[in-house]
Amino acid sequence: MVEIASSPLAPGVRPVRLHVRDVGAGRPLVVLHGGWGYEIYPFDRQIATLGATHRFVIPDRTGYGGSGRLAEQAVDFHQRAAGETRAVLDALGIDRPVLWGHSDGAVIALMTALSAPERLSGLILEATHLYRNKPASREFFDTMMRNPDGLGARVAGVLARDHGDRWRDVIRINGVAWRRIADERTRPDEDLYGGRLAQMRVPALVIHGAQDPRTEPGELDALRTQMPAAHFAIVAEGGHSPHSERLTADEVTETARAFLSSLSSVPRRSRPRDLPDAPGPVDLPDPSGHA
């Protein structure tokens, strides 16, 4: 557990205690999970392969896993989570890590980089989002809001192991937040970053599954336009979580390894951790691919 004085995600709660997985040794790599939590799309393959050279720090955001509960997610929850991320880095004394964000976590990583670029040495942005409005996902968000059990028994089992008996609330409030984000739009192509991505100067690798169901038509091309300095790795057989999918996990791991090796040296504050054996990736029957 790590303790921070406060979090924008949980106003009025002092202090805030967050569950953190900490494994490996070397340059710090902070994983920011998606909207369904960490365990649904774990980084087991990456930890087993890269953990000898990188310390993986994986906090459960407030509202998830072993961290505190939330009654709702605000429309600006990504920005609030970026503030919590900076506080976690301070509490753990982590200097200039690489952030690997998945889905909602990638949005949070980008917002962290926009607000404090000097704090980071690089970004890996997997299955990130650009547009506020997601018409193709509207039905899926409705399922999250009204029928979380409709996601399937195996998915429900993993979510219950991660979040306990509150797992339906975790899914429900994330679906509600995304519907509210879309409903507040002023233009169909309005982005989550207020048009500021062109200002982003932190080295970035964008990993995106070519078959990601949460990507709107034209969204990836628009992201390329707004982030011309970023390296894009489009995974042909990838869905919404290429890092954990059976057909793509190894490809993603090697792509990430090459990017990490390309970054200049950064200060290290690490200690050895026990590494797990490398497991084979297992695909979950995920009707949404959102998390």
Side-chain angles (χ1 to χ4, degrees):
M1 299 291 287
V2 64
E3 184 174 295
I4 58 178
S6 62
S7 169
L9 286 171
V13 177
R14 294 175 182 272
V16 171
R17 296 180 177 87
L18 303 172
H19 175 254
V20 179
R21 301 167 182 84
D22 196 338
V23 63
R27 294 170 60 179
L29 179 58
V30 177
V31 172
L32 305 180
H33 64 72
W36 287 5
Y38 175 74
E39 293 294 345
I40 193 74
Y41 298 126
F43 281 71
D44 294 344
R45 174 64 66 180
Q46 291 71 41
I47 292 171
T49 304
L50 303 175
T53 55
H54 287 82
R55 173 188 173 192
F56 282 75
V57 177
I58 310 170
D60 288 336
R61 287 194 300 278
T62 296
Y64 291 89
S67 297
R69 300 193 175 205
L70 283 179
E72 65 176 353
Q73 287 182 334
V75 172
D76 63 345
F77 77 89
H78 296 104
Q79 188 65 56
R80 292 170 182 256
E84 182 175 275
T85 298
R86 294 192 300 271
V88 169
L89 297 181
D90 288 340
L92 294 175
I94 296 176
D95 296 330
R96 301 192 68 236
V98 173
L99 300 184
W100 187 329
H102 172 241
S103 193
D104 275 343
V107 177
I108 294 163
L110 277 167
M111 290 187 174
T112 304
L114 286 169
S115 62
E118 74 285 352
R119 302 288 304 272
L120 308 174
S121 64
L123 300 173
I124 300 177
L125 308 167
E126 182 185 358
T128 193
H129 303 282
L130 177 64
Y131 295 152
R132 294 173 63 89
N133 189 24
K134 296 275 188 174
S137 297
R138 196 172 185 88
E139 182 178 350
F140 167 62
F141 294 146
D142 286 345
T143 298
M144 291 174 63
M145 292 164 54
R146 298 168 185 164
N147 183 28
D149 289 279
L151 299 171
R154 191 175 178 194
V155 171
V158 177
L159 293 170
R161 288 196 298 273
D162 196 8
H163 311 297
D165 60 5
R166 61 173 170 160
W167 75 266
R168 293 176 182 85
D169 292 331
V170 170
I171 299 303
R172 186 177 296 113
I173 65 175
N174 189 244
V176 169
W178 268 102
R179 281 293 301 270
R180 291 175 62 198
I181 288 169
D183 290 344
E184 287 197 350
R185 72 187 190 281
T186 57
R187 300 187 316 274
D189 63 345
E190 183 175 351
D191 71 61
L192 291 158
Y193 314 97
R196 295 182 297 143
L197 281 187
Q199 304 170 16
M200 210 273 292
R201 295 294 181 264
V202 179
L205 166 65
V206 177
I207 298 174
H208 212 91
Q211 302 176 46
D212 189 342
R214 300 282 71 82
T215 303
E216 295 292 321
E219 188 172 13
L220 194 54
D221 288 338
L223 189 64
R224 287 181 185 272
T225 299
Q226 294 198 30
M227 298 181 65
H231 175 72
F232 281 73
I234 308 304
V235 184
E237 296 182 291
H240 190 64
S241 181
H243 79 266
S244 64
E245 294 165 8
R246 179 176 53 84
L247 295 177
T248 58
D250 289 341
E251 176 184 349
V252 168
T253 303
E254 291 309 309
T255 299
R257 185 206 298 273
F259 174 73
L260 293 167
S261 296
S262 74
L263 298 176
S264 59
S265 298
V266 296
R268 301 182 183 183
R269 291 189 181 181
S270 306
R271 54 192 182 280
R273 300 285 177 178
D274 293 332
L275 297 178
D277 294 332
V282 176
D283 293 335
L284 287 171
D286 182 4
S288 67
H290 177 64

